[in-house]
Amino acid sequence: MTHQHGTQLAGHVALSLVVPVFNEAATIDLFIARITDVFRDEALVGLEMVFVNDGSTDATLDLLLERQKADPRVRIVDLSRNFGKEAALTAGLQTATGQVVVPIDVDLQDPPEVILQMIARWREGYEVVLGHRVSRRSDSWAKQTSANWFYRLHNKISDQPLPKDVGDFRLMDRCVVDALQSLPESRRFMKGLFAWVGFRTTHVDYERPERVAGESKFNGWRLWNFALEGITSFSTDPLKVWTYLGLFVSLVSFAFAIFIVVRTLFTGIDVPGYASLMVAVTFLGGLQLIGIGVLGEYLGRTYIESKRRPVYLVRRVYDPKG
C-alpha cells in the first residue's frame, strides 16, 4: 500500500501522537504546552494527542481529564491496570486515527520539533521516518554501554536487525500502523515489530536532551528483561547454540578420556580423581541449568502466546466532548 493522493502529500495531514503515561503527572502540562507551541502555526497539520494511561497511581488521569476540557485534541485511553509500555503503545496505535502516527515519550527527551522534519520526509514518499539519536549524552555510562552491547548482540543473531540508536520515536504512515495491528502476538517487542514490517524508511537526526521532569520508570532489571524479550522474540540462535556447545563439551571430554587412557598405559599413573571429577560435574551441571533456562524462556513465550489473552484491557476511552 502506498500514498494514493498527491493532494494529501502536498496539503493537510492528520497527525496522531501516541503518548504512553505511567505516573507522569509532573510532566503532562509541560508536554502539552510544548506540543501546542510547536504546532501553533502549522495550519496544515490536524493534531490529536492520544494519551494512554497505563495504570497510573498518581493524579495522571485526573490531570489529563482536566486538560481535555480545555483542549479537544486530547484523547485518553485508560487501561484497566499497568500492562507495561509495549502494551500501552499497542493500545495507542490501535486508538489513533491519524493519517500519520508518532509514538513519543511525555518526558520530552524526544523533541517535538523533530516531528515537523519527519512530516517533510513523509511528504517525499517515505512511509517510516525514524528519529535517530546522534548522541546519548543524557544517558548514564552504564545505560549507553548496555544499549550498545544489546544492539550489537541482537543484530548479530536476529534475522531482522534493529536500527542502532533508534527508539520508539518515529513517524509511521497509516499503512504501517495497519500492518502492525494485523500482527497477532500478545508478547510484543515493539522495536522489533517496527523493524519487521519494513516499508520505505528514512531517518532524521536529533540530540536527545535530559528529561524535563519526573524519573525514568526503566531500572536496570527492567532493561535486562526488556533485552531478553527482544532477543527471544526475534531469534532462535540462543536455542541453537546449545547444540554446538554440547558438541564442543563432548569433544573435549572425549579428548580428555583418551589422554587418561594413554597416560595410564604409558606411565601407569592415573589422573587424581576427586578434584577433576568435581570440576567436571559442576561445570556440566551449570551448563545444563543454563540450557534449561534458555529453553524455559522460549517455552514460557510459547505458553503465554497459546493462551491468546489480549495484549491489554481498556477501562474506558475518554473522547473530547463535541
Side-chain angles (χ1 to χ4, degrees), residues 66-220:
E66 276 297 312
R67 298 301 167 262
Q68 188 182 61
K69 292 176 183 176
D71 193 338
R73 300 172 302 175
V74 173
R75 300 180 69 203
I76 306 162
V77 181
D78 185 25
L79 302 186
S80 63
R81 63 169 177 84
N82 178 251
F83 286 91
K85 186 180 179 184
E86 307 297 281
L89 196 52
T90 302
L93 292 175
Q94 292 183 345
T95 306
T97 61
Q99 185 181 3
V100 293
V101 179
V102 177
I104 184 171
D105 290 339
V106 74
D107 58 19
L108 293 175
Q109 285 194 286
D110 304 321
E113 294 83 0
V114 176
I115 298 172
L116 299 177
Q117 300 175 44
M118 291 178 169
I119 291 174
R121 300 308 304 272
W122 171 78
R123 292 187 190 279
E124 295 172 10
Y126 291 101
E127 291 144 336
V128 178
V129 186
L130 307 174
H132 176 250
R133 306 163 187 167
V134 293
S135 168
R136 300 184 68 110
R137 285 181 298 179
S138 61
D139 293 336
S140 66
W141 176 86
K143 192 169 182 180
Q144 291 180 49
T145 304
S146 60
N148 286 334
W149 275 104
F150 167 71
Y151 282 114
R152 187 177 299 176
L153 175 62
H154 184 282
N155 291 345
K156 197 171 188 63
I157 66 176
S158 175
D159 294 334
Q160 183 57 52
L162 298 178
K164 193 171 181 292
D165 293 327
V166 172
D168 296 327
F169 184 46
R170 65 192 65 210
L171 180 145
M172 293 175 287
D173 185 87
R174 171 51 54 184
C175 64
V176 182
V177 177
D178 290 343
L180 286 167
Q181 291 179 18
S182 72
L183 301 179
E185 51 254 76
S186 54
R187 292 285 294 270
R188 299 173 77 83
F189 178 66
M190 295 306 294
K191 285 183 178 64
L193 295 180
F194 288 149
W196 185 87
V197 295
F199 293 93
R200 292 192 63 198
T201 302
T202 186
H203 70 272
V204 294
D205 294 332
Y206 72 99
E207 288 268 357
R208 186 167 166 86
E210 300 280 352
R211 282 180 66 99
V212 292
E215 295 180 354
S216 173
K217 308 304 184 294
F218 274 92
N219 55 30

Side-chain angles (χ1 to χ4, degrees), residues 272-282:
Y274 178 74
S276 58
L277 185 63
M278 286 302 296
V279 169
V281 168
T282 53

Side-chain angles (χ1 to χ4, degrees), residues 28-47:
I28 286 169
D29 281 343
L30 295 168
F31 177 83
I32 293 177
R34 179 85 164 270
I35 293 294
T36 300
D37 185 54
V38 169
F39 290 96
R40 179 176 286 114
D41 299 325
E42 299 298 323
L44 294 178
V45 179
L47 176 66

Side-chain angles (χ1 to χ4, degrees), residues 239-248:
L239 289 174
K240 295 176 185 174
V241 73
W242 293 100
T243 302
Y244 301 106
L245 189 58
L247 182 63
F248 172 75

Side-chain angles (χ1 to χ4, degrees), residues 237-314:
D237 280 8
L239 289 174
K240 295 176 185 174
V241 73
W242 293 100
T243 302
Y244 301 106
L245 189 58
L247 182 63
F248 172 75
V249 171
S250 297
L251 289 173
V252 171
S253 301
F254 184 68
F256 188 56
I258 293 174
F259 167 75
I260 292 172
V261 170
V262 170
R263 181 169 176 171
T264 304
L265 288 174
F266 283 91
T267 66
I269 303 170
D270 117 5
V271 177
Y274 178 74
S276 58
L277 185 63
M278 286 302 296
V279 169
V281 168
T282 53
F283 174 68
L284 291 174
L287 281 183
Q288 288 170 341
L289 289 174
I290 294 170
I292 291 169
V294 172
L295 285 171
E297 283 288 331
Y298 283 92
L299 185 60
R301 290 190 62 83
T302 305
Y303 175 65
I304 294 297
E305 291 289 347
S306 69
K307 290 175 178 289
R308 307 313 303 151
R309 287 176 181 162
V311 181
Y312 60 88
L313 293 174
V314 176

